[in-house]
Amino acid sequence: MAYETMLPALSIVIPARNEAQHIVASLQPLQAYRPQVEIILVDGGSSDNTAALATPLCDRVLSSPPGRARQMNLGAKAARGDALLFLHADTQLPSDFAQRVLHSLAAGHRWGRFDVRLEPGSALLRLVGWMMNQRSRLTGVCTGDQGIFVQRQLFTELGGYADLPLMEDIELSKRLRRHGRPACLQPALTTSSRRWQQHGTLRTVALMWWLRALYWLGVSPHRLAKWY
């Protein structure tokens, strides 16, 4: 089989919407891993030039109605790799991410995530990242900020992400936990702290904990999305 036609071992699925400011910086470091790693960006109706900027840096750029769960499911359906990694558009992976993901899956884990570090950082944001990572280790619940990865076969068997406007990562984690605890990989990936900076770190932390508490108490994600 020709090298160019070999199937990728890992497919990265990136949902994006109006990410022109960040997308090149996020995609550029991934270029060294192609074609062993497949890069799929799913644009959710951007009004900027996200898709145009991403096209030369991806194997496929797809269009989807907005909604992170819908976008990731569409990308997963188009993926060719045996393993899937779902990555936010403002997130950068550590340099040996592919080796660590594939080694983890080969060692018996069926899914997992990376530790996360928020950048630009501060003492408070470092604490927030540490708390996110420790909470995930204790509960086995992961967030999209942490770069969730999973065996493609298992993701397909579970029906992918539920079509929710919020908490789709939490909901998927709850189903994945039935098939084993997640691998928690280091070194950390870095994700943008813009959400915390724009709205205030403590205020954002309080909002996210409040929304998750309500979700665990049974409040509909559709209702939570309006508050978010």
Side-chain angles (χ1 to χ4, degrees):
M1 180 183 294
Y3 180 73
E4 290 78 11
T5 60
M6 291 178 63
L7 294 178
L10 175 65
S11 295
I12 299 176
V13 177
I14 304 173
R17 188 166 185 258
N18 295 330
E19 292 287 355
Q21 182 178 354
H22 301 276
I23 198 61
V24 172
S26 296
L27 293 174
Q28 194 64 55
L30 300 176
Q31 302 309 299
Y33 304 95
R34 300 168 71 190
Q36 297 94 332
V37 171
E38 178 183 41
I39 305 170
I40 301 173
L41 183 136
V42 186
D43 185 79
S46 295
S47 58
D48 62 14
N49 58 340
T50 296
L53 290 171
T55 295
L57 302 173
C58 295
D59 296 281
R60 299 190 69 177
V61 173
L62 306 175
S63 296
S64 165
R68 186 172 285 164
R70 296 175 185 177
Q71 292 169 245
M72 291 188 290
N73 283 338
L74 180 62
K77 187 176 181 179
R80 299 181 298 148
D82 289 332
L84 304 171
L85 194 164
F86 298 96
L87 188 69
H88 285 185
D90 59 0
T91 300
Q92 295 189 22
L93 293 161
S95 59
D96 58 349
F97 73 90
Q99 178 182 355
R100 290 182 180 274
V101 167
L102 296 174
H103 176 76
S104 174
L105 295 175
H109 289 284
R110 304 195 70 185
W111 71 292
R113 56 79 172 159
F114 284 87
D115 276 3
V116 65
R117 183 174 68 251
L118 302 170
E119 295 290 348
S122 66
L124 185 53
L125 284 171
R126 286 193 293 272
L127 176 61
V128 170
W130 181 85
M131 291 175 62
M132 291 171 63
N133 297 330
Q134 296 308 309
R135 181 196 67 225
S136 177
R137 282 185 169 84
L138 288 171
T139 64
V141 173
C142 309
T143 66
D145 291 327
Q146 295 173 303
I148 295 173
F149 61 87
V150 59
Q151 293 174 338
R152 180 182 174 185
Q153 180 180 358
L154 176 58
F155 183 81
T156 302
E157 289 174 358
L158 294 180
Y161 283 95
D163 189 10
L164 301 174
L166 197 68
M167 302 294 176
E168 76 287 338
D169 46 2
I170 307 296
E171 193 278 338
L172 178 64
S173 292
K174 291 169 64 177
R175 287 185 285 138
L176 286 170
R177 282 189 312 186
R178 301 168 191 163
H179 300 269
R181 292 187 62 82
C184 300
L185 303 188
Q186 296 176 322
L189 54 73
T190 60
T191 194
S192 173
S193 60
R194 55 183 170 165
R195 180 175 59 191
W196 286 266
Q197 291 176 326
Q198 289 171 356
H199 304 291
T201 301
L202 293 177
R203 181 181 178 186
T204 302
V205 170
L207 173 64
M208 296 309 299
W209 277 96
W210 180 60
L211 291 174
R212 285 175 184 146
L214 292 175
Y215 173 73
W216 285 104
L217 290 171
V219 178
S220 165
H222 296 277
R223 187 175 180 185
L224 296 178
K226 296 179 182 179
W227 295 333
Y228 180 76

